[in-house]
Amino acid sequence: MLKSDLASRLRPAFDDDRDADTFLLRLERYGAELVESLEAVYGEQTNELLDSLMEVMLHAFHARPGELRQLDEARLLRPDWLQQPEMIGYVAYADRFAGTLQGVSEKLPYLRGLGVKYLHLMPLLRPRDGENDGGYAVQDYRAVRPDLGTMDDLSALATRLRASGISLVLDLVLNHVAQEHEWAVKARAGDPKYRDYFHIFPDRVAPDAYEQTLPEVFPEFAPGNFTWDEAAGEAGKGGWVWTTFNRYQWDLNWGNPAVLREFLDIILYLANRGVEVFRLDAIAFIWKRLGTDCQNQPEVHHLTRALRACVRIVAPAVAFKAEAIVAPGDLIHYLGTRDHHGKVSDMAYHNSLMVQLWSTLASQNTRLLGEALRAFPPKPTNTTWGLYVRCHDDIGWAISDEDAARAGLSGPAHRHFLSDFYSGEYEGSWARGLVFQFNPDTGDRRISGSAASLAGLEAALEGGDAAQVELAVKRLLLLHTVTLGFGGVPLLYMGDELALLNDYGYQDVPEHAADNRWVHRPRMDWQAAADAQAHPDTPAGQVNAGLRHLIHVRQGTPHLHASIETGVLPSPDARLLLLRREHPLGRMVQVYNFSDQPAELPLNILREQLGDRATERLSGYEYDLTPWTLNVPPYAAWWFTENT
Ligand code: GLC
């Protein structure tokens, strides 16, 4: 397609020759990927669609502000910006963190002080009123939630963040819109153009057929995947609308090319307001296929690749992060395999690591974690992981029966144990979690709870047990050390830097009461933040100081560049996890003790990897590795690098 005829056709669309050169060069670079993916999804409709996408792209390219164009150039010079060890993410609800967007702006010194380079503000585009799934039911993608501010405030915030070297990250909800979104309203008013934006069925025939193989995301408060709507059907009749999540979140029909065009337009609109990373919410679900679970379909990856190609042409500073909470074998496709290698999302959540961390903490045995990591496919070298201890969602025990079997465990029994353990039902458990969405068909019991409450701090403080408090602090820091050391963007979830406990107040808020994920979505406690800094000896102070130190060390450890894979070394003791990274600057070996007991590490293991002496980065000490063994204290975490 990039024959000279296209170039000569497009050139007159530019007043400036250099702009034309820039656009056409990028088109030449990404055009083939774009066309190939469009053809794979839309077949004969491709040419017409391409023309309409080009129109959207040219418009956004011309509208892109000078400052962002400069950012584009800077990013092209540093394509690994998201992979750098300096990258530290922070995830917060704007209102819960600082009231409004203006408030967030005023908290910049706090974020800078933590070393943050990436700020994910949870859904802030205008959602429907009332229940809205924490903002994931968007009514208007071109407006900000009125109580937070305006689109201009968002641009102003993005500019201020950028000036501080912080990238603004926003959610892009592309599987569904609120039933109050203009498209759904028009569909309900009988406009066939907009009815085709959704999956609407006149009777139960198709829904029942799909349901045969569809799982339920919210079995308790939104059973089934279809919702009857009185006006959604043809000619003013009722219809069954596809609603994977809540009844008020209408799934979009990505088989309709108009939906792709709309979303490209939305992405570029927001990119031109300074959004640098889009979190592709629930991306796994956007393509439906009968007889499957309607997740991870090949079209999902073609659609992402096509969108990414367009965005790279107009706004190469912008990156995509896939929110696909799926099995590892499926997850890797979001970063790209084979032809799609590194051409899909730039980043994806490493849900498995998060799950395994909590699992290992409970079992005090690293075998399953080791097996799961060993079986994990390596990611493309130009991509990165989003690494996290906690986020705004529940924890689902995504542990495969195969991994469990290799570690000598029964998958169902271990998952059962974890739910018991983290809901506090297990004898001797330190955790204070809540069961989220019990599914009687599968036996699944997902868990809500803040990191600190799940790690035992809530129970220990309540029991006034100083030794338990100390252990809980160590557990929290251990988990953070793994996520900061794994090679990816550590995503600190607001409040975890202060070890904030569960917030049971959600029960008194009518829109939140039915969804106990709000127990771990507290308001920022600024007094606690000040106290933690002033009193580093309190539990919150220790977690805070510990984290700040970890961040500081990480930012000065080039071995943690995300292009390097983390491998698992055979462990001499099931309580210990040993990880290895092969960086050109020298090898790195990380040692973690996941138990509340000390363990002996035979030093020949480290010697073989690192030689007779090595530097432990977190303490700054140089270790002599020639003795027989080294005592690894409970929950200790060490980052050794080769002395070169
Ligand atoms: C994502 C969000 C979750 C939301 C769902 C539906 O998984 O993280 O909070 O409920 O998408 O949008």
Side-chain angles (χ1 to χ4, degrees), residues 93 122-123 132-137 171 173-176 217-218 221 245-246 249 279-283 285 323-325 349 391-394 436 515 517 521:
Y93 290 91
M122 296 293 292
N132 56 35
D133 190 22
Y136 286 102
D171 285 272
V173 186
L174 32 68
N175 178 65
H176 44 260
V217 177
F218 297 140
F221 51 58
F245 293 86
N246 290 291
Q249 288 162 301
R279 173 188 180 277
L280 307 179
D281 179 69
I283 175 91
F285 295 86
E323 191 249 348
I325 309 305
Y349 285 97
C391 71
H392 70 290
D393 277 329
D394 53 287
F436 177 71
D515 186 342
R517 290 179 295 176
R521 298 172 181 174

Side-chain angles (χ1 to χ4, degrees), residues 187-188 190-192 195 200-202 229-240:
R188 297 182 88 238
D191 186 336
R195 289 191 63 252
I200 302 172
F201 306 96
D229 184 277
E230 286 301 337
E234 246 174 296
K237 295 203 199 96
W240 288 97

